[in-house]
Amino acid sequence: AMQTLLLKQLQNVSDDAKSITLRDPTDPVVFLAEASVMLSHASIEGCRAMVPKTFPSQAQTMDDLFRHMSDIDYVDVFAQPSTAELQIIIDVDSLLAKAMPLQFAGVRKLVIPRDTQFIVSGYVYAIQYPIEIRVLPYGTKDNPAFEVLWITEEQSPISPVTTNALDWDLGSSPSTTSVLLRIKVPVKQYDVKSFSDTTVGTNTLQITRTFTDRFYYARVWQRDSAGTGWVEIQHTHSRDVYDPEVATAVIQVSGQTLRMTIPSIYLTTGLISGDIRLDVYTTIGVLSVDLSSYQTDQFSYNFRDLNSEYDASYVNPLKQFSVFQVIADSGAGKTVGGRAELSLEELRDRVINNA
């Protein structure tokens, strides 16, 4: 069958006056021999190129390994952030005056949003869960009752928690007559930048962005059916292996460049449509800094709610507090941990040993 196709192609080009000319009756035989060599060579090279992708022990690149990796293999593959503990100090008078009511049991609250950032002399730290500061109904003005919690109904894939309790206490300061509420907040050193695009009017979608520092994680979202919120899309780093029945984004990282692609199968079937948001997490990696050594004017914060989870009336009053300060306590404010991404050799060993 292949020889027939090749001879037909030869006939087509020889019929063209401007193409090749057959000068000998044996030319078709020579042509078939040359074509056979070329096809065999292409087949061998194709098989050779597939070997690293077929066997993890033969992998030569990260792309070769990604198609063999399970969920466990993906844990902490990329750079990991250092951790620290910061303290948020707010005055109780402002909290009692500005906390907004809930719909049950007389509880009032204010919320520090999920994506809030704390900046210490240029170092960016963040949290992955909203913090609710609740004013409980059985407290009094002279003896108020509070509850400070992580809101963990939606677990973060990069920072799971086992308890929703946050440590806090009441104190005082010579600079104010109000009692102060001090909340101890575990934070991680990473920054998040968001990029948006739409699938409307296209049968493919690709977002390419550069980043600084080290790649830590990425999350991809699409607008919900009501158009008011965001629903997370599963993602993979393998260009070849993804479930056509489950909406999936493909994330590729090369150096300081990240490319997010929505495979066309999902756009064709309608599993993914409308507005798409890409959140890129980056970190410095290994970092050892005593944050308590910085002056208070080098601490700042940025309330962010990327998914618009909370009514602004629960967040905005915090910006009007007489005292809302971020500090680092001596000892607990020192950053620890962090590391660079796994090397090809380290990841290759992990995949082979976990197989």
Side-chain angles (χ1 to χ4, degrees):
M2 183 59 68
Q3 289 182 351
T4 300
L5 290 174
L6 290 170
L7 288 173
K8 286 182 177 179
Q9 177 64 18
L10 178 61
Q11 182 178 0
N12 291 336
V13 297
S14 63
D15 288 342
D16 187 345
K18 296 181 180 180
S19 189
I20 64 175
T21 301
L22 300 179
R23 299 184 179 277
D24 189 277
T26 62
D27 283 350
V29 177
V30 176
F31 173 77
L32 287 176
E34 292 177 347
S36 177
V37 171
M38 293 175 61
L39 290 173
S40 298
H41 181 266
S43 178
I44 292 170
E45 288 300 308
C47 292
R48 182 180 297 173
M50 285 301 298
V51 167
K53 299 179 182 297
T54 305
F55 304 101
S57 59
Q58 295 290 324
Q60 302 296 313
T61 67
M62 291 290 194
D63 273 346
D64 295 340
L65 285 171
F66 286 147
R67 61 186 291 144
H68 299 285
M69 291 170 59
S70 65
D71 290 344
I72 295 176
D73 294 324
Y74 272 112
V75 174
D76 299 345
V77 167
F78 298 102
Q80 297 298 299
S82 58
T83 60
E85 182 182 275
L86 298 177
Q87 287 191 21
I88 298 174
I89 300 177
I90 60 178
D91 64 301
V92 170
D93 289 345
S94 294
L95 177 57
L96 294 176
K98 299 181 184 299
M100 300 298 292
L102 291 175
Q103 300 298 318
F104 61 93
V107 176
R108 297 184 298 136
K109 74 173 183 179
L110 290 173
V111 177
I112 299 174
R114 177 186 304 272
D115 305 295
T116 294
Q117 295 178 320
F118 304 98
I119 300 94
V120 186
S121 188
Y123 297 110
V124 180
Y125 295 83
I127 56 177
Q128 275 289 295
Y129 297 94
I131 299 174
E132 281 195 3
I133 307 170
R134 298 177 179 177
V135 180
L136 303 179
Y138 53 79
T140 65
K141 183 176 181 180
D142 295 328
N143 189 23
F146 303 111
E147 190 175 40
V148 182
L149 303 170
W150 293 121
I151 303 304
T152 60
E153 279 83 359
E154 294 185 19
Q155 285 280 322
S156 166
I158 67 172
S159 185
V161 294
T162 56
T163 177
N164 65 347
L166 283 169
D167 292 335
W168 61 273
D169 61 18
L170 297 175
S172 61
S173 171
S175 61
T176 179
T177 58
S178 175
V179 176
L180 299 177
L181 174 64
R182 299 181 297 195
I183 307 169
K184 297 178 180 180
V185 182
V187 295
K188 291 187 176 185
Q189 190 285 306
Y190 64 84
D191 192 8
V192 183
K193 288 185 169 55
S194 291
F195 310 95
S196 298
D197 207 334
T198 181
T199 64
V200 176
T202 181
N203 58 3
T204 183
L205 179 65
Q206 189 175 94
I207 300 176
T208 302
R209 294 292 184 271
T210 58
F211 57 87
T212 57
D213 297 329
R214 299 179 181 275
F215 176 72
Y216 171 31
Y217 199 74
R219 301 179 75 177
V220 184
W221 310 78
Q222 69 172 330
R223 283 284 186 190
D224 60 20
S225 56
T228 57
W230 294 94
V231 178
E232 188 165 11
I233 300 173
Q234 178 177 295
H235 76 268
T236 181
H237 293 278
S238 172
R239 292 182 296 176
D240 306 306
V241 182
Y242 46 83
D243 188 343
E245 301 296 328
V246 179
T248 305
V250 178
I251 303 291
Q252 296 170 266
V253 180
S254 177
Q256 300 301 117
T257 301
L258 180 143
R259 178 182 295 109
M260 186 280 294
T261 304
I262 302 296
S264 59
I265 180 66
Y266 303 119
L267 303 179
T268 302
T269 59
L271 283 175
I272 298 177
S273 61
D275 295 334
I276 303 297
R277 192 184 89 226
L278 168 66
D279 295 343
V280 180
Y281 293 63
T282 58
T283 180
I284 294 173
V286 178
L287 184 65
S288 179
V289 177
D290 187 359
L291 302 181
S292 65
S293 64
Y294 291 100
Q295 299 297 315
T296 55
D297 61 359
Q298 293 182 288
F299 289 76
S300 61
Y301 55 88
N302 178 24
F303 294 139
R304 300 205 308 172
D305 186 6
L306 298 178
N307 285 346
S308 302
E309 292 180 276
Y310 282 92
D311 189 310
S313 60
Y314 290 110
V315 179
N316 289 338
L318 291 168
K319 303 174 184 178
Q320 304 166 3
F321 272 33
S322 298
V323 178
F324 191 104
Q325 190 175 29
V326 180
I327 66 169
D329 199 10
S330 178
K334 186 174 182 180
T335 62
V336 294
R339 65 160 174 78
E341 60 279 354
L342 295 181
S343 67
L344 175 63
E345 291 73 21
E346 291 171 328
L347 183 57
R348 181 173 169 274
D349 289 343
R350 173 189 289 191
V351 174
I352 293 173
N353 292 335
N354 286 347

